[in-house]
Amino acid sequence: MRSRRVFNYGAGPAMLPAAIMQQAREEFLDWHGTGMSVVEMSHRGTAFMSIAEQAEADLRTLLGVPSDYCVLFLQGGATSQFGMVPLNLAPGGASADYLCTGHWSAKAAQEAQRLCKVNLVCGAGDQPLRAVPPPHSWQRSAGAAYLYYTENETIGGIEFHSVPDAGGTPLVCDMTSSLLSHPLDVSRFGIIFASAQKNFGPSGLVLVIARRDLLGRAPKNMPSLLDYAVHDKNGSMLNTPPTFSWYMAGLAFRWIAAEGGLGEMERRALSRSGLIYSCIDAGDFYRNPVDPAFRSRMNVPFTIADDSLHDKFLDEARAEGLVDLKGHRAVGGLRASLYNGMPQEGAEVLVQFMQEFQRRHG
Amino acid sequence: MRSRRVFNYGAGPAMLPAAIMQQAREEFLDWHGTGMSVVEMSHRGTAFMSIAEQAEADLRTLLGVPSDYCVLFLQGGATSQFGMVPLNLAPGGASADYLCTGHWSAKAAQEAQRLCKVNLVCGAGDQPLRAVPPPHSWQRSAGAAYLYYTENETIGGIEFHSVPDAGGTPLVCDMTSSLLSHPLDVSRFGIIFASAQKNFGPSGLVLVIARRDLLGRAPKNMPSLLDYAVHDKNGSMLNTPPTFSWYMAGLAFRWIAAEGGLGEMERRALSRSGLIYSCIDAGDFYRNPVDPAFRSRMNVPFTIADDSLHDKFLDEARAEGLVDLKGHRAVGGLRASLYNGMPQEGAEVLVQFMQEFQRRHG
């Protein structure tokens, strides 16, 4: 039991559903009568293999992953994918197109520049974007090995609400902060990746969903762990995988299905974030700069018109058990992250606090 | 509470000390009154930063890590280090010397061959070694960037019980299955690495202890996550680290110190493995092929003279709650792994079972 209820609005690692936290605690010392903990069992034994296979099967069902896609459970976080994507998909001097809509897509493009030719399709300027630039303005290159984008930018709070049209070019998407928060047509993508610690588990795990025909071209003068085809061939067990994070991701997949699936996750995300945006838009006290058509359902960055009130806001919120509302250090201000594990009540009490704070200081 | 007591002799992920498992369970939903779980908190917040810093400080104290060495908490397991070591220490066509004494050192050498010139100092033959070849027989190369070895081979059961003399060449050691099982003079090494899931934690974490003057030469056309200097500069938080494994490793470090430190861990390891070796050597029923001067204290591989009894041994052992005694699939036979988390009682009940099995079937 928690000593007192805290709502954590940090950008991740983030709150997980109370039900799966409780379950993980209950079976922490003895998983299903095996007499051992998940953290103590061989990754190649029948117990963990059943956990691993069930997790993959549940994820495939949730997302409707087509059979010609592999699902990999890897280490290294999304940052590892910033390097693996160009190494595997654009080897030997090939080029790739990057849609830059904020901090994380810019970071991915920067990392890719070490490894392949990078063309910035949009967002090459210094100013933070308020919207995804319209497709007619995109500067795509001929022969790009893939078109890359970040579905949700956690710092700027900009989210794609539809899948861009890549033509025949394989589409690669960083869904670290949005995977499993809405229904998805996986067949539109070449590669999707997402680290777990936002919407479906503890840190230490990154999920990669890849169309198999794109794999197998990684150069041989690279560490073998960077080759998707090697991981696919070894069932993500070329070496010992992050077993506890894999297990907890599996609990999250089952929880999502039991709660109603991805449609229900999207309904909840719209409801939670909608409450906060409505509160912000109701007056001039709070501000969010993003074009409503591209506002993130996962991360709501906002400021107070009188920015000298930010520290007071954080202090008073913390005193009420509303924690980690500080904006990313790159942009300052405030931010409420509202992933799958955040209950509706968390959005409600935050709005209540925001309204009271405004009454006291507005 | 465990439903029934099981001793797990698998090679890893392995049993952890009961005391730290209990503690991790007790604070799983609410770490130190923060109202959140370790798996749910920001890696950059004050709570997790205190966990991370305490773990590093405790490890530095346990091992007496000199101040000119960095301690990194990374993802990717020991296998990731098979690639990172040559990339960082032998860039631009340099060569490295590898002492091959079994499966894991051979794997490391094989991976290094993708990335630099590799000279096999010993163990280039096909036959499994029974002992570490004597230093006078080693074929070292001139100008090698480093001399590499694996302190304990989990499959062959061969362990170095002293640190080889590398002259002025930086010594690199894979201590995945032996770190924290005995006292160590870190200043003898250039780089030590060890994944956590044998002697000090869940999987998903690899510890790297590196002399700082060796870092900073990694090529720029590689993913930045492969550069030790980048991790050092970012305090192992270039990206989100494996927070739960880091936390549990910290619990293990404190437990080791509280139990008496590395000298006590070594005494216990000698005692546990000594019981098993004595039972094996007491007759002709069981066999271990390794020269007693190089026998592993962590992994005791053995066979039954009548090898048709192996399956029966495994079945009957399992029925008594003694699990994962099967030898590695590469060599077959039987194996008892006895890491820090294995209580003395685990060695005693195994010997008792071995003696009874021998009485019934000998």
Side-chain angles (χ1 to χ4, degrees):
Chain A
M1 298 297 116
R2 294 168 202 251
S3 57
R4 62 180 182 134
R5 190 67 180 276
V6 157
F7 291 105
N8 173 8
Y9 304 92
M15 286 182 76
L16 294 171
I20 75 167
M21 290 301 297
Q22 193 67 47
Q23 184 180 346
R25 180 180 189 275
E26 273 162 21
E27 55 197 31
F28 188 70
L29 295 184
D30 181 8
W31 186 80
H32 293 202
T34 55
M36 52 179 121
S37 171
V38 170
V39 305
E40 299 176 301
M41 55 176 65
S42 169
H43 55 298
R44 298 195 192 278
T46 50
F48 187 76
M49 285 303 293
S50 75
I51 290 171
E53 286 164 8
Q54 188 68 53
E56 179 176 339
D58 288 340
L59 181 78
R60 283 183 175 274
T61 303
L62 262 183
L63 282 169
V65 179
S67 61
D68 56 330
Y69 285 68
C70 60
V71 174
L72 307 176
F73 292 76
L74 305 182
Q75 298 183 60
T79 306
S80 70
Q81 300 310 303
F82 295 174
M84 284 176 72
V85 163
L87 282 175
N88 282 267
L89 264 52
S95 72
D97 278 0
Y98 277 72
L99 281 161
C100 285
T101 53
H103 181 90
W104 295 108
S105 44
K107 271 215 151 179
Q110 195 183 352
E111 180 78 2
Q113 277 163 346
R114 298 166 69 107
L115 308 163
C116 75
K117 287 188 207 122
V118 168
N119 170 52
L120 297 183
V121 172
C122 72
D126 286 342
Q127 290 304 309
L129 295 182
R130 305 302 183 211
V132 173
H136 65 75
S137 72
W138 296 356
Q139 309 276 324
R140 293 185 57 185
S141 66
Y146 57 90
L147 174 63
Y148 181 103
Y149 75 111
T150 303
E151 187 172 62
N152 178 64
E153 286 282 357
T154 57
I155 298 178
I158 292 182
E159 186 171 358
F160 285 79
H161 296 305
S162 62
V163 177
D165 180 7
T169 307
L171 200 52
V172 174
C173 188
D174 175 0
M175 295 196 187
T176 288
S177 52
S178 55
L179 187 71
L180 302 181
S181 72
H182 58 74
L184 187 67
D185 179 359
V186 172
S187 74
R188 301 275 309 269
F189 296 87
I191 291 183
I192 294 165
F193 64 86
S195 45
Q197 69 270 13
K198 318 280 189 185
N199 276 305
F200 57 93
S203 65
L205 171 70
V206 58
L207 210 62
V208 178
I209 304 171
R211 219 175 70 206
R212 284 203 169 96
D213 67 320
L214 297 173
L215 310 185
R217 293 182 296 138
K220 299 298 169 213
N221 61 343
M222 285 286 171
S224 50
L225 279 178
L226 301 182
D227 187 338
Y228 291 129
V230 168
H231 289 295
D232 184 24
K233 194 180 149 202
N234 287 279
S236 304
M237 293 200 189
L238 175 69
N239 62 338
T240 313
T243 50
F244 189 68
S245 295
W246 192 330
Y247 152 77
M248 289 219 60
L251 296 186
F253 302 156
R254 292 187 85 87
W255 177 84
I256 291 169
E259 294 289 307
L262 297 178
E264 174 64 11
M265 292 301 114
E266 183 173 46
R267 191 196 64 70
R268 293 183 188 181
L270 277 164
S271 172
R272 287 188 302 257
S273 59
L275 277 179
I276 315 288
Y277 287 120
S278 296
C279 172
I280 291 168
D281 292 343
D284 295 326
F285 188 80
Y286 298 109
R287 291 175 182 174
N288 169 282
V290 180
D291 178 340
F294 298 99
R295 278 177 166 175
S296 170
R297 298 158 185 175
M298 297 286 108
N299 312 91
V300 181
F302 59 104
T303 50
I304 301 177
D306 173 2
D307 63 9
S308 71
L309 288 172
H310 286 158
D311 285 347
K312 195 185 288 287
F313 182 97
L314 292 170
D315 289 344
E316 293 186 9
R318 197 180 300 112
E320 306 223 356
L322 312 180
V323 306
D324 268 2
L325 280 158
K326 195 169 185 167
H328 189 275
R329 61 197 184 285
V331 295
L334 306 165
R335 174 172 56 175
S337 296
L338 308 157
Y339 301 117
N340 281 347
M342 175 64 67
Q344 175 74 8
E345 187 195 350
E348 288 165 359
V349 296
L350 177 57
V351 163
Q352 212 173 346
F353 171 79
M354 288 170 73
Q355 289 167 340
E356 282 165 16
F357 186 84
Q358 179 175 354
R359 260 195 298 278
R360 283 200 303 279
H361 302 287
Chain B
M1 296 299 117
R2 294 169 200 252
S3 57
R4 61 179 182 134
R5 189 68 180 275
V6 157
F7 290 105
N8 172 9
Y9 304 92
M15 287 183 75
L16 293 171
I20 75 167
M21 291 300 296
Q22 195 66 47
Q23 183 180 347
R25 180 179 189 274
E26 274 162 23
E27 56 196 29
F28 189 69
L29 295 184
D30 181 9
W31 186 82
H32 293 202
T34 54
M36 51 179 123
S37 171
V38 171
V39 305
E40 297 176 301
M41 55 175 65
S42 169
H43 56 297
R44 298 195 192 277
T46 51
F48 188 76
M49 285 304 293
S50 76
I51 291 171
E53 285 165 9
Q54 187 69 53
E56 179 177 337
D58 288 340
L59 182 78
R60 284 184 175 272
T61 302
L62 261 182
L63 282 169
V65 178
S67 60
D68 56 330
Y69 285 68
C70 60
V71 174
L72 307 176
F73 291 77
L74 305 182
Q75 298 183 59
T79 306
S80 70
Q81 300 310 304
F82 296 173
M84 282 177 73
V85 163
L87 282 174
N88 282 266
L89 264 52
S95 72
D97 278 0
Y98 277 73
L99 281 162
C100 285
T101 53
H103 182 89
W104 295 108
S105 44
K107 272 215 149 180
Q110 196 182 353
E111 180 77 3
Q113 276 163 347
R114 298 166 69 107
L115 307 163
C116 74
K117 288 188 206 123
V118 169
N119 170 53
L120 297 183
V121 173
C122 73
D126 286 341
Q127 289 305 308
L129 295 182
R130 305 301 182 210
V132 173
H136 66 77
S137 72
W138 297 357
Q139 310 276 323
R140 293 186 57 185
S141 67
Y146 57 89
L147 174 63
Y148 181 102
Y149 75 111
T150 303
E151 187 171 63
N152 178 64
E153 286 282 358
T154 57
I155 297 177
I158 292 182
E159 186 171 358
F160 284 78
H161 295 306
S162 62
V163 178
D165 180 7
T169 307
L171 199 52
V172 174
C173 188
D174 175 0
M175 294 196 188
T176 288
S177 51
S178 55
L179 187 70
L180 301 182
S181 72
H182 58 74
L184 187 66
D185 179 0
V186 172
S187 73
R188 301 275 309 268
F189 296 86
I191 291 183
I192 294 165
F193 64 86
S195 45
Q197 70 269 13
K198 317 282 188 184
N199 276 305
F200 58 92
S203 65
L205 172 70
V206 58
L207 210 61
V208 178
I209 303 171
R211 219 175 70 206
R212 283 202 170 99
D213 67 320
L214 298 172
L215 311 185
R217 293 182 298 138
K220 299 298 168 214
N221 61 342
M222 284 287 170
S224 50
L225 279 178
L226 301 182
D227 187 337
Y228 291 129
V230 168
H231 289 294
D232 184 25
K233 193 180 149 201
N234 288 279
S236 304
M237 293 200 189
L238 176 69
N239 62 339
T240 313
T243 49
F244 189 69
S245 296
W246 192 330
Y247 152 77
M248 289 218 60
L251 296 186
F253 302 156
R254 292 186 85 87
W255 177 84
I256 291 169
E259 293 289 307
L262 298 178
E264 174 64 12
M265 291 302 114
E266 182 173 47
R267 191 196 64 72
R268 293 183 188 181
L270 277 164
S271 172
R272 286 187 303 257
S273 59
L275 277 179
I276 315 290
Y277 286 121
S278 296
C279 172
I280 291 168
D281 292 343
D284 295 326
F285 188 79
Y286 298 110
R287 290 176 183 175
N288 169 284
V290 180
D291 178 340
F294 297 98
R295 279 177 167 176
S296 170
R297 298 158 185 175
M298 297 285 108
N299 313 91
V300 182
F302 60 104
T303 51
I304 302 176
D306 174 1
D307 64 8
S308 71
L309 288 172
H310 286 158
D311 285 347
K312 195 185 288 285
F313 182 95
L314 292 169
D315 289 344
E316 293 186 10
R318 197 180 300 112
E320 307 223 357
L322 312 180
V323 305
D324 269 2
L325 280 158
K326 196 169 183 165
H328 189 275
R329 61 196 185 286
V331 294
L334 306 165
R335 174 172 55 174
S337 296
L338 309 157
Y339 301 117
N340 281 347
M342 174 64 68
Q344 175 75 7
E345 186 195 350
E348 287 165 359
V349 296
L350 177 57
V351 163
Q352 212 173 344
F353 171 80
M354 288 170 73
Q355 289 168 341
E356 281 166 16
F357 186 85
Q358 179 174 353
R359 260 195 298 278
R360 283 199 304 278
H361 302 286

